[in-house]
Amino acid sequence: AKSQLFVNGIMLPEAEVIARLQAVMETVTDRTVYLKGDRDAPYGSIMAMMDALRKAGIETVGLITEKPGGNLPREGGGQ
């Protein structure tokens, strides 16, 4: 499967992602980028994107992970 990259929920070609993120970073006070890869995303792809973000001057990157079985709350509201 081909990689799909999104910025604020909008799918973009890989060549446009960094420029779009840089534009977004100019308009926000929280300059953290959250990076999420699905379970099939190659580790190397995640690391390459982190490196590209760093080279673009985006230093604060958070990784979003999922708990086994997903992140949906359990019945009864417990975690």
Side-chain angles (χ1 to χ4, degrees):
K2 186 165 168 53
S3 296
Q4 295 179 331
L5 302 170
F6 296 83
V7 175
N8 290 338
I10 299 168
M11 188 169 56
L12 295 172
E14 185 174 351
E16 295 179 21
V17 169
I18 297 300
R20 178 68 182 133
L21 284 170
Q22 287 174 317
V24 170
M25 292 292 112
E26 293 176 5
T27 66
V28 296
T29 54
D30 178 4
R31 297 181 47 84
T32 302
V33 171
Y34 294 95
L35 183 60
K36 178 183 177 189
D38 67 23
R39 71 179 61 202
D40 297 323
Y43 178 77
S45 294
I46 301 293
M47 296 311 298
M49 182 54 68
M50 290 181 70
D51 189 49
L53 292 169
R54 184 184 53 77
K55 287 178 181 175
I58 299 169
E59 297 288 338
T60 307
V61 178
L63 294 176
I64 298 173
T65 61
E66 284 190 15
K67 297 177 186 176
N71 286 340
L72 296 176
R74 295 182 183 158
E75 265 187 59
Q79 293 291 328

Coordinates of all heavy atoms in Angstrom, one line a residue:
A1 N 0.8 -1.2 0.0 CA 0.0 0.0 0.0 C 0.9 1.2 0.0 O 1.9 1.3 0.7 CB -0.9 0.0 1.2
K2 N 0.5 2.2 -0.7 CA 1.2 3.5 -0.8 C 0.9 4.3 0.4 O -0.2 4.4 1.0 CB 0.8 4.2 -2.1 CG 1.6 5.5 -2.3 CD 1.3 5.9 -3.8 CE 1.9 7.3 -4.0 NZ 3.2 7.6 -3.7
S3 N 2.0 5.1 0.9 CA 1.8 5.9 2.0 C 0.9 7.0 1.8 O 0.8 7.6 0.7 CB 3.2 6.5 2.4 OG 4.1 5.5 2.8
Q4 N 0.1 7.4 2.8 CA -0.8 8.5 2.7 C -0.4 9.5 3.9 O -0.3 9.0 5.0 CB -2.3 8.1 2.9 CG -2.7 7.2 1.7 CD -4.2 6.8 1.9 OE1 -4.7 6.7 3.0 NE2 -4.9 6.6 0.8
L5 N -0.2 10.7 3.5 CA 0.2 11.7 4.5 C -0.9 12.8 4.6 O -1.4 13.2 3.6 CB 1.5 12.3 4.1 CG 2.7 11.3 3.9 CD1 3.9 12.0 3.3 CD2 3.1 10.7 5.3
F6 N -1.1 13.2 5.9 CA -2.2 14.1 6.1 C -1.7 15.3 7.0 O -0.9 15.0 7.9 CB -3.4 13.5 6.9 CG -4.1 12.4 6.1 CD1 -3.6 11.1 6.1 CD2 -5.2 12.7 5.5 CE1 -4.2 10.1 5.3 CE2 -5.9 11.7 4.7 CZ -5.4 10.4 4.7
V7 N -2.1 16.5 6.8 CA -1.9 17.6 7.6 C -3.2 18.2 8.0 O -4.0 18.6 7.1 CB -1.0 18.7 6.9 CG1 -0.8 19.9 7.8 CG2 0.4 18.1 6.6
N8 N -3.5 18.2 9.2 CA -4.8 18.7 9.7 C -6.0 18.0 9.0 O -7.0 18.6 8.6 CB -5.0 20.2 9.6 CG -4.1 21.0 10.6 OD1 -3.7 20.4 11.6 ND2 -3.7 22.2 10.3
G9 N -5.9 16.7 8.7 CA -6.9 15.9 8.1 C -7.0 16.0 6.6 O -7.9 15.4 6.0
I10 N -6.1 16.8 6.0 CA -6.1 16.9 4.5 C -4.9 16.1 4.0 O -3.8 16.3 4.3 CB -5.9 18.4 4.1 CG1 -7.1 19.2 4.7 CG2 -5.8 18.5 2.6 CD1 -6.9 20.7 4.6
M11 N -5.3 15.1 3.1 CA -4.2 14.3 2.5 C -3.4 15.1 1.5 O -4.0 15.9 0.7 CB -4.9 13.1 1.7 CG -3.8 12.1 1.3 SD -4.4 10.5 0.7 CE -5.6 11.0 -0.6
L12 N -2.1 15.0 1.6 CA -1.2 15.8 0.7 C -0.2 14.8 0.1 O 0.2 13.9 0.8 CB -0.5 16.9 1.5 CG -1.3 18.0 2.1 CD1 -0.4 18.8 3.0 CD2 -1.9 18.8 1.0
P13 N 0.4 15.2 -1.0 CA 1.5 14.5 -1.6 C 2.7 14.7 -0.7 O 2.9 15.8 -0.1 CB 1.8 15.1 -2.9 CG 0.5 15.9 -3.3 CD -0.1 16.2 -2.0
E14 N 3.6 13.7 -0.5 CA 4.7 13.8 0.4 C 5.5 15.1 0.1 O 6.0 15.7 1.0 CB 5.6 12.6 0.2 CG 6.8 12.5 1.2 CD 7.5 11.2 1.1 OE1 7.1 10.3 0.5 OE2 8.6 11.2 1.8
A15 N 5.7 15.4 -1.2 CA 6.5 16.6 -1.5 C 5.9 17.9 -1.0 O 6.6 18.9 -0.9 CB 6.6 16.7 -3.0
E16 N 4.6 17.9 -0.6 CA 4.0 19.2 -0.1 C 3.9 19.2 1.4 O 3.5 20.3 2.0 CB 2.6 19.3 -0.7 CG 2.7 19.5 -2.2 CD 1.3 19.6 -2.8 OE1 0.3 19.9 -2.1 OE2 1.1 19.3 -4.0
V17 N 4.1 18.1 2.1 CA 3.8 18.1 3.5 C 4.7 19.1 4.3 O 4.1 19.8 5.2 CB 4.1 16.6 4.1 CG1 4.0 16.6 5.6 CG2 3.0 15.7 3.5
I18 N 6.0 19.1 4.1 CA 6.8 20.0 4.9 C 6.5 21.4 4.7 O 6.3 22.2 5.7 CB 8.3 19.7 4.6 CG1 8.7 18.3 5.0 CG2 9.2 20.7 5.4 CD1 8.5 17.9 6.5
A19 N 6.3 21.9 3.5 CA 5.9 23.3 3.2 C 4.6 23.6 3.9 O 4.4 24.7 4.5 CB 5.8 23.5 1.7
R20 N 3.6 22.7 3.8 CA 2.3 22.9 4.5 C 2.5 23.0 6.0 O 1.9 23.9 6.6 CB 1.3 21.8 4.1 CG 0.0 21.9 4.7 CD -0.8 23.1 4.2 NE -2.0 23.2 4.9 CZ -2.5 24.4 5.4 NH1 -1.9 25.5 5.2 NH2 -3.7 24.3 6.0
L21 N 3.3 22.2 6.6 CA 3.5 22.2 8.0 C 4.2 23.5 8.4 O 3.8 24.1 9.4 CB 4.3 21.0 8.5 CG 3.6 19.7 8.6 CD1 4.5 18.6 8.8 CD2 2.5 19.8 9.7
Q22 N 5.1 24.0 7.6 CA 5.8 25.2 7.9 C 4.8 26.4 7.9 O 4.9 27.3 8.7 CB 7.0 25.4 7.0 CG 8.1 24.5 7.2 CD 9.2 24.7 6.2 OE1 9.0 24.7 5.0 NE2 10.5 24.7 6.7
A23 N 3.9 26.4 6.9 CA 2.9 27.4 6.8 C 2.0 27.4 8.0 O 1.6 28.4 8.6 CB 2.1 27.3 5.5
V24 N 1.6 26.2 8.5 CA 0.7 26.1 9.6 C 1.4 26.5 10.9 O 0.9 27.2 11.7 CB 0.2 24.6 9.8 CG1 -0.4 24.4 11.1 CG2 -0.7 24.2 8.7
M25 N 2.7 26.2 11.0 CA 3.5 26.6 12.2 C 3.6 28.1 12.4 O 3.7 28.6 13.5 CB 4.9 26.0 12.1 CG 5.0 24.5 12.2 SD 4.5 23.9 13.9 CE 3.0 23.1 13.5
E26 N 3.5 28.8 11.3 CA 3.5 30.3 11.4 C 2.2 30.9 12.0 O 2.2 32.1 12.4 CB 3.7 30.9 10.0 CG 5.1 30.6 9.4 CD 5.3 31.1 8.0 OE1 4.4 31.8 7.5 OE2 6.4 30.8 7.4
T27 N 1.2 30.1 12.0 CA -0.1 30.6 12.5 C -0.6 30.1 13.9 O -1.6 30.5 14.3 CB -1.2 30.3 11.5 OG1 -1.4 28.9 11.4 CG2 -0.9 30.8 10.1
V28 N 0.3 29.3 14.5 CA -0.1 28.7 15.8 C 0.9 29.0 16.9 O 2.0 29.3 16.6 CB -0.3 27.2 15.6 CG1 -1.4 26.8 14.7 CG2 1.0 26.5 15.2
T29 N 0.4 29.0 18.1 CA 1.3 29.2 19.2 C 1.9 27.9 19.7 O 3.1 27.9 20.1 CB 0.5 29.9 20.4 OG1 -0.6 29.1 20.7 CG2 0.1 31.3 20.0
D30 N 1.2 26.8 19.7 CA 1.7 25.5 20.0 C 2.4 24.9 18.8 O 1.7 24.5 17.8 CB 0.6 24.5 20.5 CG 1.2 23.1 20.9 OD1 2.4 22.9 20.8 OD2 0.3 22.3 21.2
R31 N 3.7 24.9 18.8 CA 4.5 24.5 17.6 C 4.8 23.0 17.6 O 5.9 22.6 17.1 CB 5.7 25.4 17.4 CG 5.3 26.8 17.2 CD 6.4 27.7 17.0 NE 7.4 27.3 16.1 CZ 7.4 27.4 14.7 NH1 6.4 28.0 14.2 NH2 8.4 26.9 14.0
T32 N 4.0 22.2 18.2 CA 4.2 20.8 18.3 C 3.5 20.1 17.1 O 2.4 20.4 16.8 CB 3.6 20.2 19.6 OG1 4.2 20.8 20.7 CG2 3.9 18.7 19.7
V33 N 4.3 19.2 16.4 CA 3.7 18.4 15.4 C 3.5 17.0 15.9 O 4.4 16.4 16.5 CB 4.6 18.3 14.1 CG1 4.1 17.3 13.1 CG2 4.7 19.7 13.5
Y34 N 2.3 16.5 15.8 CA 2.0 15.1 16.2 C 2.0 14.2 15.0 O 1.3 14.4 14.1 CB 0.6 15.1 16.9 CG 0.7 15.9 18.2 CD1 0.2 17.2 18.2 CD2 1.1 15.3 19.4 CE1 0.3 18.0 19.4 CE2 1.2 16.1 20.5 CZ 0.7 17.4 20.5 OH 0.8 18.1 21.7
L35 N 2.8 13.2 15.1 CA 3.1 12.2 14.1 C 2.5 10.9 14.4 O 2.7 10.4 15.5 CB 4.6 12.1 13.8 CG 5.1 11.2 12.7 CD1 4.5 11.7 11.3 CD2 6.6 11.2 12.7
K36 N 1.6 10.3 13.6 CA 1.0 9.0 13.8 C 1.2 8.2 12.6 O 0.9 8.6 11.5 CB -0.5 9.2 14.1 CG -1.2 7.9 14.3 CD -2.7 8.1 14.5 CE -3.4 6.8 14.7 NZ -4.8 7.0 14.7
G37 N 1.6 7.0 12.8 CA 1.7 6.0 11.7 C 0.8 4.8 12.1 O 0.8 4.4 13.2
D38 N 0.2 4.2 11.1 CA -0.6 3.1 11.4 C 0.3 1.9 11.6 O 1.5 1.9 11.4 CB -1.7 2.8 10.4 CG -1.2 2.4 9.0 OD1 0.0 1.9 8.9 OD2 -1.9 2.6 8.0
R39 N -0.3 0.8 12.0 CA 0.5 -0.4 12.4 C 1.3 -1.0 11.2 O 2.3 -1.6 11.4 CB -0.3 -1.5 13.0 CG -1.2 -2.2 12.0 CD -2.1 -3.3 12.6 NE -2.9 -2.7 13.6 CZ -3.4 -3.4 14.6 NH1 -3.3 -4.7 14.7 NH2 -4.2 -2.8 15.5
D40 N 0.9 -0.6 10.0 CA 1.6 -1.1 8.8 C 2.7 -0.2 8.3 O 3.4 -0.4 7.4 CB 0.7 -1.4 7.7 CG -0.3 -2.6 8.1 OD1 0.1 -3.5 8.8 OD2 -1.5 -2.5 7.7
A41 N 2.8 1.0 8.9 CA 3.8 2.0 8.5 C 5.2 1.5 8.8 O 5.5 1.2 10.0 CB 3.5 3.3 9.2
P42 N 6.1 1.5 7.8 CA 7.4 1.1 8.1 C 8.1 2.0 9.0 O 8.0 3.3 8.9 CB 8.1 1.1 6.7 CG 7.0 1.1 5.7 CD 5.8 1.8 6.4
Y43 N 8.9 1.5 10.0 CA 9.6 2.3 10.9 C 10.5 3.3 10.2 O 10.6 4.5 10.6 CB 10.5 1.4 11.8 CG 11.4 2.1 12.8 CD1 10.8 2.6 14.0 CD2 12.7 2.2 12.6 CE1 11.6 3.2 14.9 CE2 13.5 2.9 13.5 CZ 13.0 3.4 14.6 OH 13.8 4.0 15.5
G44 N 11.1 2.9 9.1 CA 12.0 3.8 8.4 C 11.2 5.0 7.8 O 11.8 6.1 7.8
S45 N 10.0 4.9 7.5 CA 9.2 6.0 7.0 C 8.9 7.0 8.1 O 8.9 8.2 7.8 CB 7.8 5.5 6.4 OG 8.1 4.7 5.3
I46 N 8.6 6.5 9.3 CA 8.4 7.4 10.4 C 9.6 8.2 10.7 O 9.6 9.4 10.9 CB 7.9 6.6 11.6 CG1 6.6 5.8 11.3 CG2 7.8 7.5 12.9 CD1 5.4 6.7 11.1
M47 N 10.8 7.5 10.7 CA 12.0 8.1 11.1 C 12.4 9.1 10.0 O 12.9 10.2 10.3 CB 13.2 7.1 11.2 CG 12.9 6.2 12.4 SD 12.5 7.0 14.0 CE 14.0 8.0 14.2
A48 N 12.1 8.8 8.7 CA 12.4 9.8 7.6 C 11.6 11.0 7.8 O 12.1 12.1 7.5 CB 12.2 9.1 6.3
M49 N 10.3 10.9 8.1 CA 9.5 12.1 8.3 C 10.0 12.9 9.5 O 10.0 14.1 9.4 CB 8.0 11.6 8.5 CG 7.1 12.8 8.7 SD 7.1 14.1 7.3 CE 6.5 13.1 6.0
M50 N 10.4 12.2 10.6 CA 10.9 13.0 11.8 C 12.2 13.7 11.4 O 12.3 14.9 11.8 CB 11.2 12.0 12.9 CG 9.9 11.5 13.5 SD 10.2 10.3 14.9 CE 10.8 11.5 16.1
D51 N 13.0 13.1 10.6 CA 14.2 13.8 10.1 C 13.9 15.0 9.2 O 14.5 16.1 9.3 CB 15.1 12.8 9.4 CG 16.5 13.4 9.0 OD1 17.1 14.0 10.0 OD2 16.9 13.3 7.9
A52 N 12.9 14.8 8.3 CA 12.5 15.9 7.4 C 11.9 17.1 8.3 O 12.1 18.2 8.0 CB 11.5 15.4 6.4
L53 N 11.1 16.7 9.3 CA 10.6 17.8 10.2 C 11.7 18.6 10.9 O 11.7 19.8 10.9 CB 9.6 17.2 11.2 CG 8.3 16.6 10.7 CD1 7.6 15.7 11.7 CD2 7.4 17.6 10.1
R54 N 12.7 17.8 11.4 CA 13.8 18.5 12.1 C 14.5 19.4 11.1 O 14.8 20.5 11.4 CB 14.7 17.4 12.7 CG 15.8 18.0 13.5 CD 16.8 16.9 14.0 NE 17.3 16.1 12.9 CZ 18.3 16.4 12.0 NH1 18.8 17.6 12.1 NH2 18.7 15.6 11.1
K55 N 14.8 18.9 9.9 CA 15.5 19.7 8.9 C 14.7 21.0 8.5 O 15.3 22.0 8.1 CB 15.9 18.9 7.7 CG 17.0 17.9 7.9 CD 17.2 17.1 6.7 CE 18.3 16.0 7.0 NZ 18.5 15.1 5.8
A56 N 13.4 20.9 8.6 CA 12.5 22.0 8.3 C 12.4 23.0 9.5 O 11.7 24.0 9.4 CB 11.2 21.5 7.9
G57 N 13.1 22.7 10.6 CA 13.1 23.6 11.7 C 11.9 23.3 12.7 O 11.7 24.1 13.6
I58 N 11.3 22.2 12.5 CA 10.2 21.8 13.5 C 10.8 20.8 14.4 O 11.2 19.7 14.1 CB 9.1 21.1 12.7 CG1 8.5 22.1 11.7 CG2 8.0 20.6 13.6 CD1 7.5 21.6 10.7
E59 N 11.1 21.3 15.7 CA 11.9 20.6 16.6 C 11.0 19.7 17.6 O 11.5 18.8 18.2 CB 12.7 21.5 17.4 CG 13.8 22.2 16.6 CD 14.9 21.3 16.1 OE1 15.1 20.3 16.7 OE2 15.5 21.7 15.1
T60 N 9.8 20.1 17.8 CA 8.9 19.4 18.8 C 8.0 18.5 18.1 O 7.0 19.0 17.4 CB 8.2 20.5 19.7 OG1 9.1 21.4 20.2 CG2 7.5 19.7 20.8
V61 N 8.2 17.2 18.2 CA 7.4 16.2 17.5 C 6.9 15.2 18.6 O 7.7 14.7 19.3 CB 8.2 15.5 16.4 CG1 7.4 14.4 15.8 CG2 8.8 16.4 15.4
G62 N 5.6 15.1 18.6 CA 5.0 14.1 19.5 C 4.6 12.9 18.7 O 4.1 13.0 17.5
L63 N 4.8 11.7 19.2 CA 4.3 10.5 18.5 C 3.0 10.0 19.1 O 2.9 9.9 20.3 CB 5.4 9.4 18.6 CG 6.7 9.7 17.9 CD1 7.7 8.6 18.2 CD2 6.5 9.8 16.5
I64 N 2.1 9.8 18.3 CA 0.8 9.3 18.7 C 0.8 7.7 18.6 O 1.1 7.2 17.5 CB -0.4 9.9 17.9 CG1 -0.4 11.4 18.1 CG2 -1.7 9.3 18.3 CD1 -1.4 12.1 17.2
T65 N 0.4 7.1 19.6 CA 0.4 5.6 19.6 C -1.0 5.1 19.9 O -1.8 5.9 20.5 CB 1.4 5.0 20.6 OG1 1.0 5.4 21.9 CG2 2.8 5.4 20.3
E66 N -1.3 3.9 19.6 CA -2.6 3.3 20.0 C -2.4 2.1 20.9 O -1.4 1.4 20.8 CB -3.3 2.8 18.7 CG -3.9 3.8 17.9 CD -4.8 3.3 16.8 OE1 -5.2 2.1 16.9 OE2 -5.2 4.0 15.9
K67 N -3.2 2.0 21.9 CA -3.2 0.9 22.8 C -3.6 -0.4 22.0 O -4.4 -0.2 21.0 CB -4.2 1.1 23.9 CG -3.8 2.2 24.8 CD -4.9 2.4 25.9 CE -4.7 3.6 26.7 NZ -5.7 3.9 27.7
P68 N -3.2 -1.5 22.3 CA -3.7 -2.7 21.7 C -5.2 -2.8 21.8 O -5.8 -2.5 22.8 CB -3.1 -3.9 22.5 CG -1.8 -3.3 23.1 CD -2.2 -1.8 23.4
G69 N -5.9 -3.0 20.7 CA -7.3 -3.0 20.7 C -7.9 -1.6 20.4 O -9.1 -1.4 20.3
G70 N -7.1 -0.6 20.2 CA -7.6 0.8 19.9 C -7.6 1.7 21.1 O -7.3 1.3 22.2
N71 N -7.9 2.9 20.8 CA -7.9 3.9 21.9 C -9.3 4.3 22.3 O -9.5 5.3 23.0 CB -7.2 5.2 21.4 CG -5.7 5.1 21.3 OD1 -5.2 4.2 22.0 ND2 -5.1 5.9 20.6
L72 N -10.3 3.5 22.0 CA -11.7 3.8 22.4 C -11.9 3.6 23.9 O -11.3 2.6 24.4 CB -12.7 3.0 21.6 CG -12.7 3.2 20.1 CD1 -13.7 2.2 19.4 CD2 -13.1 4.6 19.8
P73 N -12.6 4.4 24.6 CA -12.9 4.2 26.0 C -13.7 2.9 26.2 O -14.5 2.5 25.4 CB -13.7 5.4 26.4 CG -14.1 6.1 25.2 CD -13.3 5.6 24.1
R74 N -13.4 2.3 27.3 CA -14.1 1.1 27.7 C -15.5 1.5 28.2 O -15.7 2.6 28.6 CB -13.4 0.3 28.8 CG -12.1 -0.2 28.3 CD -11.4 -1.0 29.4 NE -10.1 -1.4 28.9 CZ -9.1 -1.7 29.7 NH1 -9.3 -1.7 31.0 NH2 -8.0 -2.1 29.2
E75 N -16.4 0.5 28.2 CA -17.8 0.8 28.7 C -17.6 1.2 30.2 O -16.8 0.6 30.9 CB -18.6 -0.5 28.6 CG -19.5 -0.5 27.4 CD -20.4 -1.7 27.3 OE1 -21.3 -1.8 28.3 OE2 -20.3 -2.5 26.4
G76 N -18.5 2.1 30.6 CA -18.4 2.5 32.0 C -17.5 3.7 32.2 O -17.4 4.2 33.3
G77 N -16.8 4.1 31.1 CA -15.9 5.3 31.2 C -14.6 5.0 31.8 O -13.8 5.9 32.0
G78 N -14.3 3.8 32.2 CA -12.9 3.5 32.8 C -11.9 3.5 31.7 O -12.1 3.3 30.6
Q79 N -10.7 3.6 32.2 CA -9.5 3.6 31.3 C -8.9 2.3 31.3 O -8.4 1.7 32.2 CB -8.5 4.7 31.6 CG -9.1 6.1 31.3 CD -9.2 6.3 29.8 OE1 -8.5 5.8 29.0 NE2 -10.3 7.1 29.4

